[in-house]
Amino acid sequence: MADRVHPRDDSPPQTTEFKPRPAAAPLQEEHDQAHSYPQSPTKPDAPQSEKPVSPPPGTYVIQIPKDQVYRVPPPANAKRYERLSRRKPSRSPCCCCLCWLLALLTAFVFLIGVAAAVFYFVFRPESPDYSVERLSISGFNLTSSRWVSPEFDVTVRSNNPNDKIGIYYKKGSSVDVYYDSVKMATGSLPTFYQGTNNVTVFVTPLKGSAVELTSRDRTAMIGEASKGRVPFKLALRAPVKIKVGPVETWEITVKVDCDITVDNLTAAAEIGSKKCDYGVDLW
């Protein structure tokens, strides 16, 4: 019985190209493998744990949806953000000068306040007191002419109540007497030094020359003299220097304004009423 001879296949072995399995047919691939190759015993898969593995202590897990993840700052402004973040804030020279000026002014005002407080508590300054004690009048002829040349002798009382402050009365003072708005006579105070706790009474002569009175003023003055109430206004301005120990201040102007009424226009005139206001110009 003749043996069956099979032809020899001398052709080179064909190479097979590995192609990835399509993910859509896993069951078909497993079916093909089960039929093509003998199944070998395989190790059963480890059972998967039902609970997820917790992260190590100190770890925070934050889950953010992908559509909510943004880049800060946006890519279009990233370069500008870096440039601005590197820029150092700087102050203008004008701002610095203004700050220094305000600081110096505040310090200066504070020092002046401290010095004023120390001066007040140490020397206890009090304002001097001025009053008109007497007013002698002459030179009024209201019937013969409209021109008059009146003369006044004003007796002024000056009181310095301070214990540690003296007053120098300097040149350049003025004392004026007015009737209504017409200046009747003018003069000046004597120059002298008034010590502490001192009362000085002095007489100041005032003179007027060719003062014109209107018929209305003459008629009004005659009527007031008959009633015993002729009003005058006295304005006193005196430059003084304050002496505190060995130190003298700059010149300060003392201002005294008095409203006075007299009973007649003679040398024996008596003051019926008087009211004086006192003020000071420091500069």
Side-chain angles (χ1 to χ4, degrees), residues 30 48 66 80-82 86 100 123 170 176 191 209 214 225 244 251:
E30 292 180 359
Q48 296 181 355
K66 183 178 180 180
R80 182 181 179 186
Y81 174 79
E82 294 179 0
R86 290 195 303 265
W100 276 106
F123 297 99
K170 312 298 288 185
D176 300 322
T191 58
S209 176
T214 64
V244 182
E251 283 193 358

Side-chain angles (χ1 to χ4, degrees), residues 128-157:
D129 180 42
Y130 300 92
S131 62
V132 178
E133 299 297 316
R134 192 171 184 275
L135 191 64
S136 177
I137 306 172
S138 63
F140 276 96
N141 188 354
L142 300 177
T143 58
S144 62
S145 175
R146 65 176 183 175
W147 304 92
V148 294
S149 297
E151 295 183 1
F152 296 81
D153 288 336
V154 182
T155 303
V156 180
R157 181 180 183 270

Side-chain angles (χ1 to χ4, degrees), residues 22-35:
L27 296 178
Q28 181 68 26
E29 184 180 18
E30 292 180 359
H31 178 74
D32 295 340
Q33 290 181 357
H35 289 78

Side-chain angles (χ1 to χ4, degrees), residues 54-67:
S54 60
T59 303
Y60 297 91
V61 178
I62 301 175
Q63 297 182 357
I64 302 176
K66 183 178 180 180
D67 56 348

Side-chain angles (χ1 to χ4, degrees), residues 35-137:
H35 289 78
S36 302
Y37 302 99
Q39 296 182 357
S40 60
T42 59
K43 186 177 181 179
D45 296 334
Q48 296 181 355
S49 59
E50 297 180 358
K51 297 182 179 180
V53 180
S54 60
T59 303
Y60 297 91
V61 178
I62 301 175
Q63 297 182 357
I64 302 176
K66 183 178 180 180
D67 56 348
Q68 296 184 7
V69 177
Y70 300 97
R71 180 177 179 179
V72 180
N77 298 332
K79 293 183 179 180
R80 182 181 179 186
Y81 174 79
E82 294 179 0
R83 183 173 66 256
L84 294 177
S85 62
R86 290 195 303 265
R87 183 181 299 174
K88 296 182 179 180
S90 59
R91 294 183 178 180
S92 62
C94 295
C95 182
C96 295
C97 293
L98 182 60
C99 292
W100 276 106
L101 181 61
L102 291 177
L104 292 176
L105 183 61
T106 303
F108 180 71
V109 172
F110 176 76
L111 292 177
I112 289 179
V114 171
V118 171
F119 177 81
Y120 177 79
F121 285 108
V122 171
F123 297 99
R124 299 286 181 175
E126 297 182 43
S127 299
D129 180 42
Y130 300 92
S131 62
V132 178
E133 299 297 316
R134 192 171 184 275
L135 191 64
S136 177
I137 306 172

Side-chain angles (χ1 to χ4, degrees), residues 229-230 232 258-263 270-275:
R229 292 183 62 85
V230 182
F232 290 101
C258 297
D259 293 323
I260 305 170
T261 59
V262 295
D263 59 351
E270 295 290 338
I271 295 177
S273 64
K274 58 184 177 181
K275 179 182 178 182

